[in-house]
Amino acid sequence: MARDVRPVHHPDKRHVEMPYAPALLVRRGSLLFLSGLTAAPVYHSHPHREEEFDLPPHMREQAVLLMENLKTTLAAAGCTLADVVSATRYLTDVAEQDDLNAVWASYLGAHRPTTTTVEVSRLATHANCKIEISAIAIADVQMRGPRNGPRTPPTADKRSRPSSRKRPAKRRR
């Protein structure tokens, strides 16, 4: 876990293994909000084309594809799975939560972001999708540009900034 993120536990915490932290205190960085990701390709056609949603039928396999999509999306912003501080997980069958948690743990190791897990009747992306995860991560203050190149935060307009050059003094007549 990042050094500027601290799990928050109750004083009477039981010593049980949980796949999440009750709360995380973040003391640095900017926030990165990730749209819901599924096992489907992140970039897919709109309107949807059936051939782009030929997904494995089991939760474990879909969870692996989703976690790879999550890693790739985080990397595009200069982040890793260790930077995720919160996730909302939508499952079409909550009975498969243990399979999801096994894959989740294999990718996150000891890192425990906060999570909320919700059972839904269907995901909007496609009927073949069994899981969708949206997440929030912390990122360095430096932002990324549209082509994933470095870009610093915007600054004031040049006309409003004081010039570093001295202007010549006005002559008196």
Side-chain angles (χ1 to χ4, degrees):
M1 185 176 299
R3 69 180 178 273
D4 294 326
V5 178
R6 179 176 67 80
V8 177
H9 292 284
H10 298 201
D12 59 348
K13 173 189 175 223
R14 290 180 44 213
H15 295 286
V16 295
E17 185 62 29
M18 297 189 340
Y20 63 90
L24 290 177
L25 178 60
V26 178
R27 295 186 185 263
R28 72 161 172 95
S30 301
L31 294 177
L32 172 69
F33 294 85
L34 287 82
S35 294
L37 296 165
T38 67
V42 173
Y43 295 96
H44 53 266
S45 301
H46 290 89
H48 292 162
R49 295 173 42 196
E50 285 300 312
E51 63 270 15
E52 295 177 319
F53 296 94
D54 184 22
L55 301 173
H58 301 289
M59 173 60 77
R60 282 185 188 259
E61 291 87 357
Q62 284 202 23
V64 168
L65 292 172
L66 183 149
M67 293 304 289
E68 290 298 322
N69 285 341
L70 181 58
K71 279 177 40 179
T72 301
T73 303
L74 288 163
C79 297
T80 69
L81 289 169
D83 296 314
V84 174
V85 293
S86 186
T88 303
R89 308 171 333 160
Y90 304 92
L91 291 81
T92 57
D93 184 356
V94 77
E96 296 179 307
Q97 181 176 350
D98 289 343
D99 289 336
L100 167 62
N101 285 339
V103 173
W104 184 256
S106 73
Y107 275 83
L108 293 172
H111 178 56
R112 297 289 188 255
T114 65
T115 63
T116 299
T117 304
V118 180
E119 183 179 56
V120 296
S121 62
R122 181 178 182 238
L123 294 167
T125 304
H126 194 274
N128 291 348
C129 294
K130 299 176 88 44
I131 180 167
E132 182 169 332
I133 296 178
S134 62
I136 300 171
I138 54 172
D140 289 333
V141 175
Q142 183 173 350
M143 297 187 315
R144 310 289 286 177
R147 294 187 189 183
N148 295 333
R151 188 182 83 192
T152 54
T155 57
D157 180 60
K158 286 182 181 181
R159 290 173 295 214
S160 64
R161 270 190 267 155
S163 173
S164 58
R165 289 188 327 199
K166 289 188 177 181
R167 290 188 178 164
K170 285 188 177 179
R171 290 187 190 185
R172 289 193 151 179
R173 292 185 188 203

